[in-house]
Amino acid sequence: MKITKSHQRLLSVKLGLILALCMAAVHLLPAQNLDVSRSTVTKIADLLNRFPAENTAAFNQAMKQLADFEEEELTQMALMFSENANNENLEFALSGFAFHVSQNIDSEQTKKTVRAYGKALDHLGYDEAKAFLIEKLRIIGSDEAVKYLTTYLGSDRLVSPAARALASIRTIEAEKALLEALQDADAEADLLPIIQALGDMKSQAAAPSIEPYVLSGNEEIKKVAIYSLASIGAPSSAKILTGAALAADFQYENTNASAEYINYINNLAANGETKSAVKLATKLHKSANKEGQFHTKAGALNLLASLDPGKSAKLLQKAAVSPQAAYRNTALALIRDNISDDLQTWTKILAKADDVVKVDILRTLGSLEGDAVLNVIRPYFQSNSPEVKKQAIASGVLVGENQILADLLALVSSSSEEELKAIQGALLSMGGDNVGDEVATALPTASAQAKVALIQVLAARANPKHMTVVLAEVNSGNSDVKRAALEALHRLAAPSHLDQLVTLLKSEQGMQELKDVQKAIIAANTQHQSSSQQTDWALKTLQALDKSKQVYLYDVLARAGGTRALNSLNEIYQKGDAQQKKAALGALSSWTNAEAMDVLFAIAENDANAENANTALEGYINLVKATSSANEGKVLMLRKALEVSKSTATKQLVLRQLSQYPTFQALLVAGNFLDDAEVQQQAARAVMGIALAEPSLYGKEVRAIVQKTKEVISGQDSEYYKTSLQKHLDEMPQDEGFVSLFNGKDLAGWKGLVANPIKRQSMSAAQLKREQEKADEIMRSGWAVENGLLLFTGKGDNLATEKKYGDFEMFVDWKITEKGDAGIYLRGTPQVQIWDTALVEVGAEVGSGGLYNNQTHPSKPLKVADNPVGEWNTFYIKMVGDKVTVKLNGELVVDNVVLENYWDRSLPIFPEEQIELQAHGTYVAYRDIYMRELPQNKRFELSAEEKQEGFEILFDGNNLDKWVGNKTDYVVEDGVIVIYPDRGGNGNLFTEKEYGDFIFRFEFKLTPGANNGLGIRAPLLGDAAYAGMELQILDNTADIYKNLEQYQYHGSLYGIAAAKKGFLKPVGEWNYQEVRVKGDDIQVILNGTEILNTNIAEAKQKGTLDKREHSGLHRDKGHIGFLGHGDVVYFRNIRVKDLSK
Amino acid sequence: MNDNLKSSRRRFIKGSLLALGGISIVPRHVLGKGFLAPSDHLTKGIIGVGGMGRGHFQYAGTKTVAICDVDQRHIKIAMDALKDPGVKTFTDYRELIRLPEVDIVHIATPPHWHGIMSVDAAREGKDIWCEKPMTRTIGEGKKVVEAVKQHGNIFRLNTWFRFDANFYGMNTEVKKIKKLVDSGMLGWPLKVTVGRLTGFDWKFFWVGRTNLQAEPIPKELDYDRWLGPAPYRPYNAHRVHGTFRGYWDYDGGGLGDMGQHYLDPVQYILGKDNTSPIKVEVDAPQQHPDAVGTWRKIVYTYDDGCQIILDGEGTEEAPYIAGPQGNLYIGFKSDIPDMERKLAQFPDPAPQVVDFVEAVKTRSKFALNEENGHRSGTIVNMGLTALRLNRTLHFDPVKQEFIDDEGANRLIDQPMRAPYTI
């Protein structure tokens, strides 16, 4: 139906293109006037279906449409709110538009919106909708909004939002409205928001009226009145607020009188009454002296510092040495920036102060700069108070940085552990190239405790030239120093230190010591240029070590990496004693790339020691992400891990990783664990991660798994997860999706192979039945189901599906053994190849997945993507028409290649046939065989009857050859015309030919809220609903259409005659419709029911229901067309009989 | 090392630099009487003992003496967990704040209460531990900064990533990242990307529901007080406990609730603790006026060209920090050859006070305090505002206002429902 404004605008925007020039011209010319004839209800409904906007561009486009709405139309839209209904789209639209126009509240557009929403406010029937609009006025309101809001200042439920809206509007008009309401208010509940709003907007005029409420017996009113008066800051309020603060004893209580008093004085000053403000602040500062009042005193000090900086300097100095810490530190923060100007005074103050005060002053000095400041601090490096000394050091380094290096080093040997920490912190955060050298120089002569701190500083700086001095300390008799030195080694180690480190490895005995040396060796060795050099060094050194020390080189080998290191460690693991085994396994499972995976898996699978097997498996699982495989391949690896997993921990690890690889199989695997209590939650999170990341995964099985996940997921945030999963389910297509062809238990759905498709075709039914029975017998000897796998044991013939398939997508996992050879027949035809790539004598080195029997089209796969023999592989096969696409382990190996007809090469491939698993004499296992049938592009054909009657096909599923117009948005997909709203096309789709009297038959499928129309006797030019006639095509079950006129429902002759409602199939199902047009008679038969039978003669003479000009009524012929490209709608099987012939 | 770079970077540290080392005093009740033993416990009252509040009973060096909640069910669960019948219970937080025996007020309510409660606690002279996010609006954050400054309180915003040892999946302490950035090795300006592939998955699914129907209010819950300053809306269970994050009135979904965890360290790393970005751009579906939805991407730009990119879809294959001279990847990996070794020669960032008890006892500013906490909270709120308005916003970091955008500014200051004031 109706082309909406935005579409028209889109037209003119996109029309720069020369393409389809004739159509473009047709739509350009009358575009500016088209919308005048649109009914508001239709425009609104059309628009509401666009919300919520998917992105900013869509949002802005919808906003443009709204911007073109008349004020009354906006009002009408706002009036669509209805209690207990779903107003979601309306909320998106109205709020979105308010936000959109809020940027400039003085614009005409915004004022128009205010008036529109304001008028709706007056007429809406229930409070929640009103509150919604009032909040919009809060965002966009100016004086324009005041009169609409004023109404609600007397309403119990709405006074609060209305008053807040006025407070945000903050104009004189808004203030006036609130003031008047304050005079009129009789209920105390109404007073609260009004008084508060006047305070929020700092209404000077309101002060005298609010002041009496400070004495109210109602605590809430009193509180709000104090807040508002403080915020207003009128001189007249001084007395009453002083009284309230005094009554609160300068402490916090429910009315906030004390703190608001400080705000009051501040605002009084802001209003220009500085003198009075200073007076009040001075008095407050003097009066608040009790314990419990010091934070108020601090507040007063704060005021004085800003209001009277000159006089407050002395006060601040005094406060800076107050025993009240919070008060003191407030003073120091306030005076901080002035300290540098009067350093002499502060030197004296500091000298006289108590230690706690000294600390605070020194901390404050640390935020200043300059040598003079450093000089004030410096003497306190020697303080007897550890706290003072530490703060002096911390502040000293901030101010003096590298200048205090010598001071600090001179201090180290006489400092306590706590003080050393401060010195160390200072040294670490100090810049300068000399720090390391000076520290290294000081180290040998320092006290033991100081040595520890200095070694740590050298370690942090990590300069290898300081290794010597640290190595010397490894031999220290002091265990702390030795420990620190050992821990520092790896930071300082370079390849040149390797010999010394090996010497240490030989001489040290403690396990921790050896670990430290090992770490240093790794650090040094990994600085060698190549992995091979690193391995050489490690293998050579290994031989020179005692057995007990050799284990420490295993991790060195692991970090070196490479096949030689891997094999050496594996050999040690296989042949070594318990200690060697453990160390070697540790090294193997810390491997950093995928090369160790096979070794680790073999250990996980075969080692009888459960702990070792587990460690290896964890190592294997952790390396999956390091492989370069596609997601499908990684999922296979994780499934492999699951098969040998014996612990909950490894299962959980696998499930956590699965969620990173959102494939169909990953979802199925995770779904299998939803009943396993130990890992249920990990499984649920994996399913959620996969499903939400990959919306293309849908169908019955997926739906069931997601549904179950929603039921079982628990723990923190699970309520949100449930919300998201339900949303996902709601949006998931209802199609059956992939269905399993193999139930894991028996051969149900499968049969034996009888001959080939051509021969079977030639057999009689009885003969075929006999042959089938024989074949089934043979099948049972060769094919078996074991442990959920479908196995071919090497005897017999192909296994075939009972069902035939045309176009489809399928998944199948397969596994072969050495010299294995098999294949998958598509439509009864060989084959997607499966073989052991070692069979080079038959050319298998090209890999599996190719269309082996092709002669003219490619028969080899694009690449080798096979997993080693004995491992699972996974195929994704898609066949559409005669073309096949294959992915093996996630890699594309066949890209849309024709499958030739092997049985008769002169023929194209059969349109549909059975799927077969080839029997080729070797063992094959299959699992997870899933199939999704695709709708085939079957050509629509007329029935014999229609042929005889003289029907002509307009669309048979293949092309739009008999159509003109918008072929950008109207496209053919899977044998169906689909309309995509956002492809940028222009206008409608019309038959090429014109028809006067006719019978038009077609099928259509709607999406929720979809809107289209069938134009008849229409010109290519102009709005077909008026310039021709239009029969509505509309999902009038949608909420957004509830206000439509009768003559706008599906099947109606738009604006002229109403159709019967209630005969549409549910949204998403196909409808069949016949339209008969003869002279003035128009009939519509929907799904077998006549929903319209009208004669337009009367309308021609006396006018139409919608009281508009329908010039099209007088046309005797025109095009038939689909009108509107704003929604996704599907059409198929379209044919027409021209009755005028 | 480049001296200019060093001094300009380090200057801002000074403003918030605190005492070093562990001075152990409890000056709270005996202010100025001298240094006290480190074994002295500070007492705290917790407001909001749902899941978050209960998680903080045992913070070292503190003792819970009072709790407050508007839901009696929470109080009961909390009292069972505390196993101390001497703990006082309240439904009105103002009574808890007034207790003389409470040193620290710990605020663990939904964010729409953080501003009011922080300011009220400051007004009573209490020290404050406030859970992230700091405040629900930029305006409320300004009020907290002002109140804390006025009354001399110690304030901790509770997200710890700016000093945590394993900073969100980066597998390193943030100090090292800060050091790398300060060293100048990556160059300037920098671009920081936060998403699934760089340490945090924003897909928190913390979305609200639309079309909520009114439900009866449970008798144990004081819903009106739960709403407090927020606009009144009919009750629905999804609005409150556990799922309140999905509604703009109380929070802002994953970005609102978790954003500060990930944005605060970025402010620190980039040395932006006393400023804010000047621009925010969003790529998102339109947001519902009540229920928070998902988003795809948010980009912040500072006046010097530094950028923060929030990748909501988790697909950006970007370094965590990208600079003109080098990149830093998750796990502290870099494309600068031998980066860690080169970095070692540079000084560490200045030490921070990261023990709240110590901060309170020594009256030192905590590492993440009202000022830098408000600034990182502002980034969150800038993003949320741009999301709701679905447009690019420009911000003045000095005035702390959006430029030429009245609608955005009306989201900075949102009048409260009377009689709640801040």
Side-chain angles (χ1 to χ4, degrees), chain A residues 91 223 254 295 401 527, chain B residues 6 98 123 288 341 419:
Chain A
E91 288 163 356
K223 172 185 183 259
N254 283 358
H295 57 285
E401 304 201 1
Q527 291 171 58
Chain B
K6 185 194 73 175
R98 277 209 301 277
R123 286 167 165 170
H288 186 266
R341 250 162 223 291

Side-chain angles (χ1 to χ4, degrees), chain A residues 367-382:
Chain A
S367 62
L368 306 176
E369 286 178 348
D371 291 350
V373 177
L374 180 61
N375 288 337
V376 179
I377 296 170
R378 208 169 226 141
Y380 295 93
F381 292 161
Q382 319 286 346

Side-chain angles (χ1 to χ4, degrees), chain A residues 955 975-977 1002-1004 1070 1130-1135:
Chain A
F955 174 69
V976 171
I977 299 176
F1002 68 110
E1003 292 175 42
F1004 65 94
W1070 286 99
Y1130 306 87
F1131 297 104
R1132 70 179 183 193
N1133 303 349
I1134 307 170
R1135 62 270 195 198

Side-chain angles (χ1 to χ4, degrees), chain A residues 47-48 51 59 63 66 77 88-98 117, chain B residues 286:
Chain A
L47 185 68
L48 284 181
F51 287 98
F59 178 73
M63 290 303 119
L66 273 169
M77 184 165 96
E88 190 184 314
N89 284 27
L90 201 55
E91 288 163 356
F92 272 111
L94 293 170
S95 146
F97 193 57
Y117 287 14
Chain B
Q286 185 190 358

Side-chain angles (χ1 to χ4, degrees), chain A residues 89-317:
Chain A
N89 284 27
L90 201 55
E91 288 163 356
F92 272 111
L94 293 170
S95 146
F97 193 57
F99 277 144
H100 182 70
V101 301
S102 72
Q103 187 166 359
N104 179 4
I105 57 157
D106 293 327
S107 73
E108 280 314 309
Q109 184 63 260
T110 313
K111 287 179 183 162
K112 179 182 94 182
T113 311
V114 166
R115 288 192 300 271
Y117 287 14
K119 278 178 198 154
L121 195 49
D122 286 345
H123 292 101
L124 271 172
Y126 69 111
D127 284 349
E128 291 323 311
K130 283 175 187 273
F132 175 91
L133 288 180
I134 290 172
E135 168 61 16
K136 303 313 132 202
L137 294 184
R138 186 185 85 71
I139 299 289
I140 60 171
S142 51
D143 276 340
E144 210 75 26
V146 173
K147 67 169 182 241
Y148 302 109
L149 294 166
T150 307
T151 320
Y152 298 99
L153 293 176
S155 144
D156 280 354
R157 162 73 181 90
L158 298 171
V159 58
S160 181
R164 278 180 275 138
L166 289 165
S168 284
I169 291 170
R170 267 185 116 100
T171 61
I172 293 169
E173 290 296 315
E175 182 184 20
K176 219 159 47 181
L178 285 164
L179 281 170
E180 274 168 29
L182 180 62
Q183 308 305 334
D184 298 347
D186 33 18
E188 289 198 326
D190 295 356
L191 278 171
L192 280 176
I194 294 169
I195 295 174
Q196 187 162 321
L198 285 162
D200 284 339
M201 68 191 298
K202 296 180 182 282
S203 163
Q204 291 290 323
S209 313
I210 296 175
E211 279 155 14
Y213 290 109
V214 174
L215 305 173
S216 167
N218 178 324
E219 194 184 64
E220 288 189 342
I221 290 182
K222 185 172 177 163
K223 172 185 183 259
V224 165
I226 290 172
Y227 160 79
S228 291
L229 290 174
S231 164
I232 293 164
S236 63
S237 312
K239 202 173 154 197
I240 200 144
L241 291 180
T242 308
L246 264 170
D249 199 22
F250 300 132
Q251 296 188 52
Y252 174 79
E253 37 72 89
N254 283 358
T255 68
N256 273 337
S258 173
E260 292 295 1
Y261 188 51
I262 295 171
N263 286 344
Y264 168 72
I265 298 172
N266 205 11
N267 288 323
L268 191 63
N271 290 336
E273 304 282 338
T274 318
K275 223 170 132 188
S276 319
V278 170
K279 217 168 112 189
L280 294 179
T282 309
K283 201 163 169 202
L284 176 61
H285 183 254
K286 273 191 195 141
S287 316
N289 268 322
K290 280 196 291 186
E291 191 69 51
Q293 292 176 337
F294 271 91
H295 57 285
T296 305
K297 194 178 178 76
L301 189 65
N302 218 328
L303 285 172
L304 288 168
S306 65
L307 299 178
D308 193 1
K311 279 193 191 156
S312 62
K314 283 280 167 227
L315 276 182
L316 286 167
Q317 275 181 16

Side-chain angles (χ1 to χ4, degrees), chain A residues 538-551:
Chain A
L539 287 175
K540 187 187 78 195
T541 311
L542 193 66
Q543 287 160 9
L545 288 172
D546 284 354
K547 208 172 146 195
S548 66
K549 299 292 173 68
Q550 285 179 356
V551 291

Side-chain angles (χ1 to χ4, degrees), chain A residues 16-29:
Chain A
L17 304 174
I18 300 155
L19 267 178
L21 192 67
C22 97
M23 276 310 297
V26 160
H27 280 270
L28 247 191
L29 300 174

Side-chain angles (χ1 to χ4, degrees), chain A residues 20 76 107 174 188 403 414 435 604 674 743 767 855 861 908 927 972 1007 1042 1100 1115:
Chain A
Q76 204 174 326
S107 73
E188 289 198 326
Q403 293 177 62
S414 61
V435 177
L674 287 171
N743 63 17
Q767 190 187 0
Q855 287 179 351
R927 69 178 182 194
V972 179
T1007 49
K1042 63 191 170 196
K1100 273 180 177 172
R1115 287 170 63 92

